[in-house]
């Protein structure tokens, strides 16, 4: 099979652009699940339209949830006024077939919901989904009273034999490999007869801001949640049983997807504004402001959004990315172009994402002449002069955007399967081209 290669554009001048980032995948897919479980219809406005969100919507439709897609061109802001009206099923239905693709939110969030269906729900997905951790969800659901047939694999494919209800109660699990194990149970827990109490008995939970996002969105839906960060017991989350309200949710831009665009400002010594950046948010991507500032940039809020400016110098960084691991690939790409060594740590869990992100980054940057070594829980990056070559993506959207960032400064970088960016950032190649050569009508 011939590789499909995308020549990464080289920056010939400092970038100066304003970018509209599509909606957050994390918010979109949580909002869809909560709306599907509500007692009345709701709206999800400015949703992300990507492979991951489409898989979530299609999975919910298979269970009987109505999702009507509408566009109101008179609405402003990111998303162009698009909205999804979600009509709960009343009783989720089985038998059903759900394709999880390689979407972590779909493979973790829908099985707990399927336990409430009135028949069997079969889940399957991409080959990589068979390798990603699912044991935390499977074992927890069994402890809460669900019957799951996974052939003893602890992963996909699997069938959840829904009985229309689930007892719920207290469950102990090891959530050290994915915060999504906790979020998955929290999202459906209010519909379980006894609610749910989740006790993490493993190591530190990665990506805690994503659990905070789940908790805040549950509370907006009228659910009572006790969480450690609100003074509750350490590593324990509780959801009280009860009805969920149908809400009107506006999805924020996906701040993690701003990583390559702000990186372009750093790498070229230019300026990039991301429209509609929220001043207060639970999204992990908000950490970009501080991390990139340490690497040589500066930022300020404007009427339009968040403006980030590069200084023309990139500094190495020593940083714990445990809570914001999804930012690692692009940060690693920037670090490979810095003027000093970087150490990224706290991210051993990235070996279990769409691909082994630590191994992939080390191999691909080294193949371009870099000097990246894996540590027990991260990467050491020693900048070296890089050369062009093929940068493989391993069907991982964030590896692809990292390659594009390196390509700004290194002629001849060819990105294999850049189309994988459609997972969360549709039209990335065109957005990247517009960043370097803004259309004449931009900003009008």
């Amino acid at each position: 099979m011939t590789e499909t290669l995308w020549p990464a554009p080289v920056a010939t001048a400092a970038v100066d652009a304003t970018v509209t980032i599509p909606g957050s995948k994390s918010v979109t897919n949580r909002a869809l699940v909560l709306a599907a479980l509500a007692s009345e219809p709701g709206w999800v406005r400015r949703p992300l339209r990507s492979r991951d969100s489409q898989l979530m919507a299609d999975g919910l439709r298979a269970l009987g949830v109505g999702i009507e897609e509408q566009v109101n061109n008179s609405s402003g802001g990111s998303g162009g006024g698009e909205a999804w009206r979600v009509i709960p099923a009343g009783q989720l239905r089985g038998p059903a077939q759900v394709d999880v693709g390689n979407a972590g939110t779909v493979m973790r969030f829908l099985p707990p919901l399927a336990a409430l269906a009135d028949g069997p729900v079969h889940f399957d997905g991409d080959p990589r989904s068979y390798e990603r951790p699912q044991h935390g969800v499977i074992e927890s659901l069994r402890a809460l009273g669900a019957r799951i047939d996974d052939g003893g694999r602890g992963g996909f494919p699997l069938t959840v034999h829904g009985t229309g209800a689930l007892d719920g109660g207290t469950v102990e699990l090891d959530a050290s490999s994915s915060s999504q194990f906790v979020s998955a149970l929290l999202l459906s827990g209010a519909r379980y007869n006894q609610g749910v109490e989740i006790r993490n008995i493993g190591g530190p939970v990665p990506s805690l801001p994503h659990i905070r996002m789940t908790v805040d969105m549950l509370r907006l839906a009228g659910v009572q949640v006790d969480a450690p960060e609100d003074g509750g017991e350490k590593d324990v989350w509780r959801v009280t049983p009860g009805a969920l309200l149908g809400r009107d949710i506006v999805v924020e831009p996906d701040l993690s997807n701003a990583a390559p665009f702000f990186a372009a400002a750093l790498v070229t010594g230019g300026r990039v504004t991301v429209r509609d950046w929220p001043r207060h948010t639970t999204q992990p991507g908000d950490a970009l402001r501080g991390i990139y500032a340490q690497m040589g940039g500066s930022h300020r809020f404007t009427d339009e959004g968040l403006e980030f400016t590069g200084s023309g110098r990139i500094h190495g960084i020593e940083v714990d990315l445990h809570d914001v691991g999804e930012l690692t690939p692009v940060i690693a790409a920037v670090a490979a172009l810095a003027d000093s060594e970087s150490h990224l740590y706290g991210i051993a869990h990235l070996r279990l994402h769409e691909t082994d992100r630590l191994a992939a980054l080390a191999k691909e940057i080294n193949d371009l002449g870099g000097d990246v070594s894996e540590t027990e829980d991260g990467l050491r990056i020693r900048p070296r002069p890089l050369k062009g070559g093929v940068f493989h993506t391993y069907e991982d959207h964030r590896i692809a955007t990292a390659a594009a960032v390196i390509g700004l400064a290194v002629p001849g970088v060819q990105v294999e399967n850049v189309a994988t960016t459609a997972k969360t950032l549709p039209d990335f190649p065109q957005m990247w081209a517009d960043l370097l050569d803004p259309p004449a009508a931009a900003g009008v």
Side-chain angles (χ1 to χ4, degrees), residues 85-173:
R85 179 169 169 79
V86 183
I87 303 160
Q91 175 61 61
L92 296 168
R93 71 179 180 220
Q97 302 274 341
V98 174
D99 177 10
V100 305
N102 190 18
T105 51
V106 181
M107 67 180 68
R108 277 71 179 258
F109 294 176
L110 286 190
L113 183 142
L116 297 168
D118 61 2
V121 181
H122 182 69
F123 291 87
D124 206 342
D126 296 356
R128 175 62 179 172
S129 72
Y130 297 4
E131 303 170 8
R132 298 185 67 181
Q134 184 70 8
H135 57 86
V137 173
I138 294 171
E139 294 167 7
S140 296
L141 286 175
R142 284 176 175 152
L144 295 171
R147 183 163 73 90
I148 300 175
D149 177 12
D150 66 344
R153 290 178 296 272
F156 293 97
L158 59 85
T159 300
V160 178
H161 295 273
T163 58
L166 194 67
D167 286 341
T170 300
V171 65
E172 295 183 339
L173 64 86

Side-chain angles (χ1 to χ4, degrees), residues 158-211:
L158 59 85
T159 300
V160 178
H161 295 273
T163 58
L166 194 67
D167 286 341
T170 300
V171 65
E172 295 183 339
L173 64 86
D174 179 353
S176 61
S177 60
S178 178
S179 67
Q180 290 176 351
F181 294 166
V182 176
S183 286
L185 298 172
L186 290 175
L187 287 168
S188 292
R191 288 286 304 274
Y192 298 165
N193 295 337
Q194 301 173 43
V196 70
E197 177 179 295
I198 304 158
R199 294 180 167 268
N200 173 44
I201 57 172
V205 182
S207 305
L208 280 173
H210 278 120
I211 299 180

Side-chain angles (χ1 to χ4, degrees), residues 365-395:
I365 294 174
N366 288 346
D367 281 354
L368 299 184
D371 184 0
V372 180
S373 57
E374 290 188 59
T375 66
E376 182 179 352
D377 70 340
L379 297 171
R380 285 198 178 276
I381 303 168
R382 303 167 189 84
R384 298 286 187 270
L386 301 180
K387 63 182 187 302
V390 175
F391 203 108
H392 297 94
T393 64
Y394 307 90
E395 299 186 6

Side-chain angles (χ1 to χ4, degrees), residues 223-349:
V223 176
Q224 182 179 331
V225 188
D226 297 322
E229 60 268 30
D230 301 311
E233 190 176 347
K234 185 177 185 300
D235 276 348
V236 177
W237 294 263
R238 296 184 186 89
V239 170
T240 301
L244 283 75
L245 306 175
R247 300 301 299 260
D248 192 326
I249 296 175
V250 179
V251 178
E252 297 174 351
D254 192 319
L255 306 189
S256 294
N257 276 338
F261 298 97
F262 283 158
L266 266 178
V267 170
T268 68
R271 177 176 58 191
V272 172
T273 298
V274 171
R275 290 189 178 96
D276 302 323
W277 193 284
R279 291 178 183 256
H280 304 284
T281 181
T282 55
Q283 287 193 62
D286 194 45
L288 281 171
R289 295 189 290 145
I291 293 169
Y292 278 174
Q294 291 181 62
M295 299 186 82
S298 60
H299 59 84
R300 68 186 183 101
F301 281 100
T302 67
D303 291 342
E304 199 160 18
L306 183 69
E307 177 188 278
F308 192 88
T309 304
S311 63
R313 295 280 303 276
I314 304 172
H315 308 308
I317 190 172
E318 179 148 341
V319 60
D320 183 348
L321 298 177
H322 188 259
D323 282 350
V324 293
E326 63 196 43
L327 304 180
T328 300
V330 172
I331 292 172
V334 175
L337 303 171
D339 58 13
S340 58
E341 182 175 329
S342 293
H343 180 204
L344 316 181
Y345 60 94
I347 45 178
H349 58 284

Side-chain angles (χ1 to χ4, degrees), residues 406-441:
I406 290 176
L408 290 172
V410 180
V413 173
Q414 298 184 80
V415 184
E416 172 264 336
N417 190 20
V418 74
T420 193
T421 53
K423 180 178 172 70
T424 59
L425 198 53
D427 304 320
F428 171 76
Q430 187 60 54
M431 293 177 71
W432 201 244
D434 290 346
L435 177 77
L436 299 179
D437 185 15

